[in-house]
Amino acid sequence: METVTDQLLFINLDQMEETHNVALHVCAAEKHPDNPVLPLGDIGEWDSGQAGPWQSRSVLYDEEEQLFKAWYSGTDITLKPGWSTGYAFSEDGIHWIKPKLGLVDHNGSTDNNLVLRGVGPVVKDDDEADAQRRYKMIVKGPTGAHGIRAAYSPDGIQWREGAAVDLDVWREADGSQSIDLTRPSDVVALVLDREAAPARRFTMIWQAYANADKPGPELARTKCIGFGADVENFRANPDNPILHPNDGLEQENHFLMLARQAGWHLLLYEYGWYMPDGTGKFGRYSGDIRLAASSDGQRFARVQPHQKVIERGPRGAWDSQFIVIADKPIVKEGRVLLYYAGSGEEWSSWPTFGNRPETASLPNTGCLRPFRMGLATLRVDGFTCMETTDRETPGFFTTAPLESTGGRLSVNVGSVQPGRSWVEVEVLDPATGAPFPGFSRAETEPVARDSVEVAVHWRDKGGGDLPAGSIQLRFHLCGAARLYSCRIRDARS
């Protein structure tokens, strides 16, 4: 029995005991009208060809400094790209400044915003006692550099490399695995989880290769997860991989974002396929962003995998071919901010390790073309919602039994309109299936105000406390209403 002391997201139908004419829907993020928000560098600058959260892939909001900060990857216009990490900051997350840092040489000048020749994800650890290690990074490259290493910084700008990352399966693998864990490939996410046990405070997700069961390259990219008390020592999840294209319709799982929300671990993953248009060996790589979820952070399941969180742009748009999402979301002012790198349809014959024709004259093919950084947003808790199947005919669903400590119920609802689209709630006794006195549907006040948190009232109870103990919530949806989450707060709060 789930205990609801604060918040309940609607992630899968296993949370429901009964449904009628309702559906779980993955919500599409809204792209910002000013996209792309981070400009390419000028001709001759290090990021004149590409600039976005790809190989370096973290965008954070620093509460202490009240700034958005981005560690992004880029390369100049060249036939031999070598990706590096640049730093940019913004007061609003839309208009970005690339400071001249004077740290790393590019073409004979340090008048740039480069911080590192390697690439990788970044976290800020506000609880770190050593101020010189406040920012942490897992670094790969540059070309020729050995292994994957930790790096530390007091300010996110001046970095010092630490020890090599020690992951048990990289150390112990004998090469016989169907998943090539012996190859420490790209680290696609580094997340600090303050809710986790000390031994799992840091989560690292990396890319491994496995035999594919679909037309396309023989090896497909999968995702594996590990946990550690610091960023130098990790133990792999025994249930790896957490995401494998052989288990879905996609042909590749490239990069992803990891979010922790209301007890759920959410993956916004790159769903990739090869469009057979005559380019490359297998077609033009295409990709958008879809959703998977886990209640324990170790076993993930796709959520409505036919529905997209971030879709490709239309023909001719800067992000019309595929999307690579940053590794962490930002939650601010009632919105979830999802930064991503977007690429156009000129990205042909990629990825080079399996899709480049033998006759290609250049070794890097499509990755010589631009990518840039965009922003898409969701409402808070708006990764999924419950709605009626046609968004017209009324429907309802009943949760599985919940253990309530009492408190007041509020809901996150959208697309509501008085007299046309609304939500009603009744509170049931699981022992009888009947409403508790005063908490029936007939006594509820319809919720018809769009808000991320609006209180539910019953006529004789007002916004009073729910019954304590075992309860069930039955939500009635009318018209186009969307229900994203519910929350039970102590009445004193």
Side-chain angles (χ1 to χ4, degrees), residues 2 74 101 108 111 138 390 456 468:
E2 187 169 358
L101 300 174
D111 191 25
I138 295 182
D390 61 359
V456 179

Side-chain angles (χ1 to χ4, degrees), residues 212-294:
D213 67 353
K214 301 180 182 70
E218 292 183 4
L219 295 178
R221 289 172 284 198
T222 72
K223 297 298 166 285
C224 299
I225 194 168
F227 309 98
D230 54 54
V231 298
E232 295 181 3
N233 301 277
F234 290 90
R235 291 198 65 82
N237 170 29
D239 298 312
N240 278 335
I242 58 171
L243 204 62
H244 196 313
N246 290 357
D247 299 329
L249 293 176
E250 69 269 28
Q251 292 171 277
E252 296 273 9
N253 296 135
H254 191 208
F255 282 11
L256 54 75
M257 171 183 285
L258 177 62
R260 181 78 178 267
Q261 185 70 28
W264 286 94
H265 303 259
L266 304 177
L267 288 182
L268 279 70
Y269 67 94
E270 187 177 334
Y271 177 109
W273 69 95
Y274 294 92
M275 185 63 71
D277 64 352
T279 62
K281 286 184 179 180
F282 307 108
R284 194 182 303 266
Y285 178 80
S286 308
D288 53 36
I289 305 302
R290 309 199 187 188
L291 180 66
S294 169

Side-chain angles (χ1 to χ4, degrees), residues 154-208:
D155 55 10
I157 296 172
Q158 302 181 70
W159 290 90
R160 174 181 58 83
E161 289 198 6
V165 172
D166 183 31
L167 177 67
D168 54 355
V169 292
W170 289 346
R171 185 176 66 247
E172 298 165 5
D174 62 8
S176 65
Q177 289 79 1
S178 60
I179 296 175
D180 184 7
L181 298 174
T182 66
R183 178 181 179 181
S185 182
D186 296 317
V187 174
V188 302
L190 177 63
V191 176
L192 171 60
D193 188 348
R194 292 182 175 86
E195 300 177 35
R200 295 168 62 108
R201 193 162 183 263
F202 292 94
T203 299
M204 178 178 72
I205 300 178
W206 71 96
Q207 189 159 269

Side-chain angles (χ1 to χ4, degrees), residues 13-35:
L13 295 179
D14 292 341
Q15 299 167 272
M16 321 302 176
E17 185 175 271
E18 181 183 16
T19 64
H20 171 70
N21 194 42
V22 294
L24 175 66
H25 179 76
V26 172
C27 300
E30 179 183 355
K31 293 183 180 180
H32 198 278
D34 290 343
N35 278 344

Side-chain angles (χ1 to χ4, degrees), residues 428-439:
L428 308 181
D429 181 348
T432 65
F436 284 99
F439 290 95

